[in-house]
Amino acid sequence: MKTLAAILLAIATAGATAHADTYSPPPVFAKAPGLPAGYDEATALRLDLASALQIAMEQNIGMSVERSQVDAVDLGERAAHGAMYEPVVTAGFTHASQVTPPMTKQAGTADQIITATSDAWTVGVSNRLPTGGSVGVSVSLDRYASSSGTAVLPDYYTSGASITFTQPLLRGFSRDLVIPQMSLLTAKIATENERYNIQLVASQLVQQTEGAYWNVVSALYAYRVAVDAQASTDDALALMRKQIAAGATGTADLAQAEAAAAQQQVAVLDQATQVENAWDGLRLLLNLPRDQWQRPILPTDVPSYDVTPSPSIDDAISLALHQRPEIHMMQLDTKSEDLAMRKAENDKLPQIDLQLGAGMSGLGASAAESIGELGVSTTSWNVGVALTWTPFQKANNANLELQKVQRQMHDAQHDLKIQQIWTDVRSAVRARESARLQVQAASRSRELATAALAAETKKYMSGMSSMGQVALQRQALTNAQQQEVTALVNSERANTQLLVATGGLLAARHVVLQVAGAAVGG
């Protein structure tokens, strides 16, 4: 009886902790949780939380897709820039031949056939201007050969050079140059928006990875608690059977003790399954190679109790409205809507284009002589205005009204998003405070369960209790230990959720994303 009492007292005091103003972690965190039976720790993937986050950032499939999306919009911006400012070069060659009878006596006799051939070479370059206009330069060289008596020379060359300039004055133009550069500005907004979006995706991945990591930690510790409880129950049952065989005690409590031992075996098997499921959840987020999925994962970090006070709700909301990627994305959406509105208003204006041009030409018996004559005697210039207008403006008016409706919807959606952020932050602050209190409550529950088991053991030693009652108290202690582990893990999750709600998770985890040649994130 004394030996049994000593074992029960050892079990009862195993979970005791000194309760002070500052929280003390349960003894179960004194060492790493270890692996379930049948696994070799030498083959395990030992992983701390920082390494898990790094692997997820590098290998997660969703993150890889998002990086490609950032690259795609960056290329779209480069394409828009090239379409606006890259010069366009044109070149051409034309050969023509004509056979006709003479139209006049000077051209030839009635029975004569006049042949004429020509070759034309042209080269030009044009470029768009930031004002929405365009400027172009072209040069040409033509060769003519004719048997007509009215030909200037039987074989002669003409050359020319010209410059043209076109500038819209109303539609397609604005003094701040926003309208003529609309496509480039839209592409830049898309690029900025995607850079904030990848921060949002990365923050979600960090939160998911941390959750999966703590799931593994929780499952392993829960397994260890279950195994320790099973070992204690089995030891007590074995000792009881020896005492029954020696006639030191009766068999009244044997069935209850055996049932308790059987329940603990079931609990161990169930916790082993939970460990496997938790491993798969983490493996999926880390996108580990398939040949690594049979390798057990052994976390090296344990959950801790954060004594830092939670911010006030007002401070947390203010921080969220400054840091959340969604806020910046909404601001970019507003810029995009403003551009669309301005474009719709500008489209209602008449199309009035100013056109300027100047040129010079040369004539000679050879190509060199013709080029040498450029600008010597023949020059020209022109100025003009072209007007295009749709007087009824039906399509443009409808498009402008559509943009106004979309802007109203956009503003309403922003208000809803702001309200959602307020709700997220308020909920996260309350959840963190609740999680902190739950840790303290779970710790106190464990201490009370420890004391209750010790008291029940003393009653059993005095013959005032049964082994079944002791087993119930032991199970209560096991449950309290598991609840405390769960409370600590939930506290870690609540801390992460508050960082997500205020937009500071990437900075807190020192996650910096290298995308499209630039660093974004924390």
Side-chain angles (χ1 to χ4, degrees), residues 463-481:
M464 299 173 61
S465 182
S466 65
M467 179 58 70
Q469 292 299 317
V470 173
L472 288 176
Q473 293 299 334
R474 186 186 304 114
Q475 182 61 48
L477 175 59
T478 299
N479 293 340
Q481 290 173 328

Side-chain angles (χ1 to χ4, degrees), residues 77-351:
E77 181 182 346
R78 290 165 58 185
H81 189 278
M84 175 164 287
Y85 294 116
E86 187 173 2
V88 177
V89 178
T90 59
F93 168 75
T94 303
H95 173 77
S97 178
Q98 185 178 28
V99 178
T100 62
M103 303 302 294
T104 63
K105 291 182 179 181
Q106 290 81 5
T109 62
D111 59 348
Q112 186 179 358
I113 298 297
I114 298 174
T115 61
T117 61
S118 66
D119 296 298
W121 295 267
T122 60
V123 176
V125 59
S126 62
N127 202 4
R128 287 191 60 185
L129 301 174
T131 61
S134 63
V135 61
V137 176
S138 64
V139 295
S140 63
L141 178 65
D142 299 332
R143 174 184 175 276
Y144 296 95
S146 176
S147 61
S148 173
T150 58
V152 177
L153 292 171
D155 193 357
Y156 67 97
Y157 291 81
T158 64
S159 60
S162 65
I163 180 170
T164 60
F165 170 75
T166 302
Q167 174 61 50
L169 301 180
L170 291 178
R171 183 189 299 178
F173 176 74
S174 64
R175 293 182 180 179
D176 58 6
L177 304 184
V178 168
I179 295 298
Q181 300 185 59
M182 179 71 66
S183 60
L184 181 56
L185 294 175
T186 301
K188 287 182 176 180
I189 289 175
T191 299
E192 290 183 56
N193 186 77
E194 196 57 41
R195 291 181 184 276
Y196 284 116
N197 190 62
I198 196 174
Q199 293 182 47
L200 185 61
V201 172
S203 181
Q204 293 170 348
L205 179 58
V206 168
Q207 184 181 19
Q208 293 170 352
T209 303
E210 290 191 2
Y213 185 91
W214 295 126
N215 283 344
V216 173
V217 172
S218 179
L220 287 173
Y221 275 117
Y223 175 83
R224 177 180 162 187
V225 169
V227 168
D228 290 345
Q230 180 186 9
S232 299
T233 303
D234 289 346
D235 288 344
L237 178 59
L239 184 56
M240 177 180 286
R241 284 171 175 166
K242 290 180 180 179
Q243 290 182 329
I244 291 173
T249 186
T251 60
D253 293 337
L254 181 60
Q256 287 184 326
E258 290 177 339
Q263 290 175 353
Q264 287 299 331
Q265 291 175 356
V266 172
V268 169
L269 294 174
D270 180 66
Q271 291 300 331
T273 301
Q274 296 302 319
V275 169
E276 290 282 2
N277 292 338
W279 279 341
D280 281 352
L282 184 56
R283 289 165 179 151
L284 182 63
L285 289 171
L286 300 184
N287 190 29
L288 294 179
R290 291 298 177 262
D291 60 352
Q292 295 290 314
W293 278 55
Q294 298 303 319
R295 188 179 180 187
I297 300 175
L298 187 58
T300 58
D301 285 338
V302 297
S304 59
Y305 181 70
D306 188 357
V307 299
T308 305
S310 299
S312 69
I313 289 180
D314 289 342
D315 288 344
I317 290 176
S318 176
L319 196 59
L321 295 178
H322 176 70
Q323 294 185 152
R324 286 276 289 257
E326 298 97 317
I327 297 296
H328 299 286
M329 294 169 72
M330 285 190 292
Q331 293 170 348
L332 291 173
D333 287 343
T334 299
K335 287 184 179 180
S336 182
E337 292 287 341
D338 290 343
L339 288 177
M341 184 73 73
R342 288 194 60 180
K343 178 68 167 56
E345 292 173 343
N346 183 264
D347 286 344
K348 294 185 63 177
L349 300 175
Q351 179 79 40

Side-chain angles (χ1 to χ4, degrees), residues 1 38 52 67 71 89 158 192 196 213 222 287 309 311 328 387 411 416 431 447 459 479 496 502:
M1 181 66 72
R67 279 195 175 89
D71 292 339
V89 178
T158 64
E192 290 183 56
Y196 284 116
Y213 185 91
N287 190 29
H328 299 286
L387 169 66
D411 292 342
L416 287 174
E447 294 174 351
K459 289 171 63 177
N479 293 340
T496 300
T502 55

